[in-house]
Amino acid sequence: MPRYAYVNGRYLPHDAAGVHIEDRGFQFADGVYEVVTIQGGRLVDEAGHLDRLGRSLGELRLAWPMDRPVLQQVMRQLIRRNRVRDGIIYLQITRGTAARDFRFPEAATPTLVMTTRRMNLDPARQVAAGVDVVTIPDIRWKRRDIKSVALLAQVLGKQQAAEAGAFEAWQIDEEGMVTEGCSSNAWIVTGDGRLVTRDASTMILNGITRQSILRLAAEQGLQFEERAFTVDEARRAREAFLSSATTYVMPVTRIDGRPVADGKPGPLSRKLRESYRSYAVGAGAS
Amino acid sequence: MPRYAYVNGRYLPHDAAGVHIEDRGFQFADGVYEVVTIQGGRLVDEAGHLDRLGRSLGELRLAWPMDRPVLQQVMRQLIRRNRVRDGIIYLQITRGTAARDFRFPEAATPTLVMTTRRMNLDPARQVAAGVDVVTIPDIRWKRRDIKSVALLAQVLGKQQAAEAGAFEAWQIDEEGMVTEGCSSNAWIVTGDGRLVTRDASTMILNGITRQSILRLAAEQGLQFEERAFTVDEARRAREAFLSSATTYVMPVTRIDGRPVADGKPGPLSRKLRESYRSYAVGAGAS
């Protein structure tokens, strides 16, 4: 069975799917994206991801390439064609193709690309062991709240993590506070059992999974604070974890090579992972 | 006559030239570029641009897609095919196509794209009147010395300039100092006739035209300083101008709507423009 990609109205064999060399996504990183998880054939947090897509588009004054319900139909069609039960759907929208000029083109049709990928959403060994993170300076631009494809800093950060044998790199701002991972949000559990994650601002991307975890935590009566924390506080924390659409809640057991607490995934991280998984499998999905 | 683009070994009709949707340039802005001016069929500052391309590639640990002399042959071939006398050649190199993952792919062939465009390199009326700039906060990432395609901040800045009726936006760092324009370097002439432009660091892209102007200034015995300056100093300056591969030296006569000096292009700007043009037409070109 061939794998299809959706590009500007057409379902194409993945290998043959292209965009023009003067697509503004290719020349200027002038575009946005979303990654939505597919769990058991269902989209997880679909509304949240599409809301954020709308926000990113708005911040860049990009139009929806089609009405949102139609876009949702295309997503479903592609998932069906590619028979994805567990995995992701990736959506990218750019300002379209136009003769190269930094300024917005007078008339360009937005480019819409979608791909899917099958993925194991429950990497049991990784979850059981937890993952390592390293810390790096946050060198990104100042509009991290926009989920744009200008991801070069994150590419370099993730590569640096990989070369250090780590799963993720936590980025540190000029005040020494953790902003977030290169493709995930950062969390700790304090000595008195409070969940802490950075408050949403232009300094971080407000993760959809992050928001769902906060909602689940509130429903369960857990104490949480949205505030910045230092690497030092994270190292001394009772637990640490990261969150993203594909990793859900993933325990962090080492930071820069040093164990967090006893170096094992903590109970609250495990509990939140299970809560989120239940939510993803069940009621939260469409 | 069709216009050709060069893409990964092939000369294609421009309209049909594409890259894969999983090209890392499209998904991650994981690539670099150069714009080289063609004046009278000759490449201006070719060696400088290719040196900088090599530096950008090195900073991102990207390989040259082919040996530099071969790449230069391709450039000449494309210019010949497209019969460009005055204009530009645009080169873009990305990390290639690979399944989407922030980390560098194990094995990917770099993507090489080249296009040309004819252009009037001597817009006499614009030069005679000078151009307006507006000032905006510099929100870019911290590796501005790499000429990467992660240009979204510059896109937004240039659009903001255009909507204000200005030609360029000068970006202001957190200390209130001008870094540079969104696609040009910024210059002033002080009351005592010294040329000033920001020193080269990770805070700016070290323009090839900027470097040639400094060399020409030195040859002519002009006094110059490479240092940061404020918007206020620029407003009070005797002259201001900007430089880039396509604009050469372009007088700046208004900043945020207020005239620089008497609001007319100054003599040193005019002189440097003429020097640079002579250089571009003649000995400096290959």
Side-chain angles (χ1 to χ4, degrees), chain A residues 126 130-136 156-170 182 242 250 252-258, chain B residues 101 103:
Chain A
Q126 194 174 47
V131 297
D132 285 27
V133 302
V134 292
T135 60
I136 60 173
L156 299 177
K158 281 279 204 181
Q159 178 63 18
Q160 195 175 330
E163 289 173 13
F167 180 79
E168 177 61 293
W170 280 4
C182 294
L242 56 83
M250 179 64 71
V252 169
T253 46
R254 295 176 80 87
I255 299 174
D256 290 330
R258 291 153 65 179
Chain B
D101 185 330
R103 297 168 297 183

Side-chain angles (χ1 to χ4, degrees), chain B residues 129 253-254 259-265:
Chain B
T253 45
R254 295 175 80 87
V260 176
D262 64 355
K264 297 198 175 68

Side-chain angles (χ1 to χ4, degrees), chain A residues 1 24 26 46 60 65 78 88 90 133 153 211 232 247 256 282:
Chain A
M1 190 193 82
R24 293 178 62 92
F26 185 69
E46 179 183 13
L60 299 185
L78 187 66
I88 55 159
Y90 171 85
V133 302
Q211 294 172 54
D232 203 51
T247 59
D256 290 330

Side-chain angles (χ1 to χ4, degrees), chain B residues 73-85:
Chain B
Q73 283 172 28
V74 174
M75 290 168 71
R76 280 164 178 69
Q77 177 69 257
L78 187 66
I79 292 166
R80 208 158 36 233
R81 285 194 187 220
N82 289 337
R83 298 184 198 173
V84 183
R85 291 280 306 167

Side-chain angles (χ1 to χ4, degrees), chain A residues 215-227:
Chain A
R215 199 171 52 243
L216 292 169
E219 285 167 15
Q220 294 170 27
L222 299 173
Q223 300 287 309
F224 62 85
E225 291 170 19
E226 293 177 80
R227 64 164 172 84

Side-chain angles (χ1 to χ4, degrees), chain B residues 238-282:
Chain B
R238 187 184 284 182
E239 302 181 30
F241 62 90
L242 55 84
S243 68
S244 75
T246 51
T247 59
Y248 294 175
V249 171
M250 179 65 70
V252 169
T253 45
R254 295 175 80 87
I255 300 174
D256 290 330
R258 290 152 64 179
V260 176
D262 64 355
K264 297 198 175 68
L268 193 55
S269 309
R270 283 204 301 269
K271 180 179 169 182
L272 282 169
R273 181 175 179 87
E274 278 318 300
S275 302
Y276 188 80
R277 268 182 56 80
S278 301
Y279 163 75
V281 171

Side-chain angles (χ1 to χ4, degrees), chain B residues 1-252:
Chain B
M1 188 193 82
R3 181 175 160 219
Y4 291 98
Y6 175 90
V7 184
N8 294 330
R10 295 162 69 197
Y11 296 87
L12 302 169
H14 185 270
D15 289 348
V19 291
H20 194 262
I21 55 169
E22 291 200 314
D23 189 285
R24 293 178 63 91
F26 185 68
Q27 291 194 322
F28 291 118
D30 190 7
V32 299
Y33 74 106
E34 283 290 334
V35 176
V36 188
T37 300
I38 306 156
Q39 168 97 50
R42 298 166 139 188
L43 290 159
V44 181
D45 274 331
E46 178 183 14
H49 284 284
L50 292 180
D51 288 351
R52 183 172 64 185
L53 180 61
R55 182 181 180 282
S56 295
L57 291 168
E59 291 299 308
L60 299 185
R61 292 160 55 198
L62 279 161
W64 283 87
M66 56 182 64
D67 289 344
R68 178 167 161 163
V70 181
L71 186 134
Q72 289 173 287
Q73 283 172 28
V74 174
M75 290 168 71
R76 280 164 178 69
Q77 177 69 257
L78 187 66
I79 292 166
R80 208 158 36 233
R81 285 194 187 220
N82 289 337
R83 298 184 198 173
V84 183
R85 291 280 306 167
D86 293 304
I88 55 160
I89 182 163
Y90 171 85
L91 293 82
Q92 182 172 343
I93 298 169
T94 78
R95 208 178 301 276
T97 294
R100 189 176 183 279
D101 185 330
F102 283 82
R103 297 168 297 183
F104 299 171
E106 291 284 329
T109 307
T111 297
L112 171 60
V113 170
M114 292 188 206
T115 57
T116 65
R117 189 192 308 182
R118 294 176 189 178
M119 196 178 283
N120 173 17
L121 297 171
D122 195 22
R125 272 191 302 187
Q126 194 173 47
V127 173
V131 297
D132 284 28
V133 302
V134 292
T135 60
I136 60 172
D138 197 331
I139 62 168
R140 295 174 299 164
W141 78 327
K142 296 191 180 164
R143 290 304 306 277
R144 300 155 189 173
D145 56 311
I146 302 170
K147 197 168 174 77
S148 86
V149 292
L151 292 168
L152 184 51
Q154 289 91 322
V155 163
L156 298 178
K158 280 281 203 180
Q159 179 63 19
Q160 194 175 329
E163 289 173 12
F167 180 78
E168 176 62 293
W170 280 4
Q171 300 168 104
I172 312 298
D173 68 19
E174 283 160 351
E175 280 73 50
M177 315 302 278
V178 175
T179 53
E180 61 190 329
C182 294
S183 64
S184 59
N185 288 114
W187 303 71
I188 56 172
V189 179
T190 62
D192 59 353
R194 298 169 79 85
L195 265 178
V196 180
T197 193
R198 181 119 184 182
D199 49 303
S201 70
T202 54
M203 293 292 278
I204 66 162
L205 183 75
N206 190 354
I208 303 305
T209 308
R210 172 191 178 279
Q211 293 172 54
S212 289
I213 293 167
L214 286 175
R215 199 170 53 244
L216 292 170
E219 285 168 14
Q220 294 170 26
L222 299 173
Q223 300 289 310
F224 61 85
E225 293 171 17
E226 292 178 79
R227 63 164 173 85
F229 56 86
T230 63
V231 180
D232 204 50
E233 185 177 3
R235 282 189 186 125
R236 290 183 285 98
R238 187 184 284 182
E239 302 181 30
F241 62 90
L242 55 84
S243 68
S244 75
T246 51
T247 59
Y248 294 175
V249 171
M250 179 65 70
V252 169

Side-chain angles (χ1 to χ4, degrees), chain A residues 99-125:
Chain A
R100 188 175 183 279
D101 185 330
F102 284 81
R103 297 167 297 181
F104 300 171
E106 290 284 329
T109 307
T111 297
L112 170 60
V113 170
M114 292 189 206
T115 57
T116 65
R117 191 193 307 183
R118 294 175 189 180
M119 196 178 283
N120 174 16
L121 296 171
D122 195 21
R125 274 191 301 189

